[in-house]
């Protein structure tokens, strides 16, 4: 069993909950266990993210079907599959925070000139423009996952779903957490600068 990965993921999810970024059972989180065949350890739907335990996590395949564990996979698991297919991600975090929801109502962000951008993988200078696209939200996950596949470029670190939340990822659980912290920090800075909050 993947006990260490499950413990680390559950611990991160609880930490994210207590930052206020995953309220009301919202959000979902995963780590890639293997790429071929694709096996993803993921939080099931409807779970309180503040109390999630490693034993609550389920393993799904590339169709989003649960193959191990008791919970029900979220429909959004298909978006995780799309991201793993299109990137070298090993972990994905999807959060519903106040600042990422506010920015998701816009047309997409260009974050530039901030030292904190250097926390994003491959970014070595504040003199960088990070584009965070906004996709229309949908409950039709096959069509939304096709859109996700279309929008992700090699340099993409994250995207927003309108009125919904943020997806970001990394080549380790630590990198995904770091990207989340950097983006939430910059979303709040930009939001306050623009008088959004
Ligand atoms: Zn969501």
């Amino acid at each position: 069993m993947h006990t260490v990965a499950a413990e680390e993921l559950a611990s991160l999810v609880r930490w994210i909950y207590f930052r206020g970024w995953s309220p009301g059972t919202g959000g979902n989180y995963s780590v890639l266990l293997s790429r071929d065949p694709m096996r993803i350890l993921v939080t099931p739907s409807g779970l309180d993210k503040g109390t999630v335990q490693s034993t609550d996590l389920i393993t799904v395949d590339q169709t989003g079907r649960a193959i191990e564990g008791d919970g029900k996979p979220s429909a959004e698991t298909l978006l995780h599959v799309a991201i793993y297919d299109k990137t070298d991600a090993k972990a994905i975090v999807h959060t519903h925070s106040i600042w990422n929801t506010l920015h998701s109502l816009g047309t997409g962000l260009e974050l530039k000139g901030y030292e904190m951008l250097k926390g994003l993988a491959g970014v070595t200078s504040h003199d960088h423009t990070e584009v965070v696209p906004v996709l229309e939200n949908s409950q039709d996950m096959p069509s939304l996952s096709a859109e996700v596949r279309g929008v992700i470029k090699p340099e993409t670190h994250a995207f927003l779903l309108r009125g919904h939340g943020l997806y970001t990822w990394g080549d380790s659980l630590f990198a995904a957490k770091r990207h989340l912290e950097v983006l939430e920090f910059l979303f709040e800075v930009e939001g306050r600068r623009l008088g959004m909050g």
Side-chain angles (χ1 to χ4, degrees), residues 15-82:
W15 180 84
I16 289 170
Y17 173 87
F18 286 107
R19 292 297 305 261
W21 297 339
S22 203
T25 77
N28 43 64
Y29 304 87
S30 73
V31 294
L32 185 67
L33 298 174
S34 70
R35 207 170 270 284
D36 189 20
M38 187 172 279
R39 294 289 180 266
I40 304 169
L41 189 67
V42 65
T43 48
S45 78
L47 208 71
D48 183 335
K49 302 305 188 292
T51 58
V52 62
Q53 300 297 317
S54 58
T55 47
D56 295 323
L57 303 177
I58 55 177
T59 303
V60 303
D61 65 12
Q62 74 283 357
T63 67
R65 187 174 57 97
I67 55 172
E68 202 176 316
D70 291 330
K72 182 177 167 308
S74 158
E76 286 184 57
T77 304
L78 281 182
L79 305 189
H80 291 240
V81 173

Side-chain angles (χ1 to χ4, degrees), residues 25-28 74 76 79 94-96 137 141 161 164-167:
T25 77
N28 43 64
S74 158
E76 286 184 57
L79 305 189
H94 165 53
T95 53
H96 297 182
N137 194 29
M141 287 305 145
L161 296 179
H164 181 162
L166 169 74
Y167 274 84

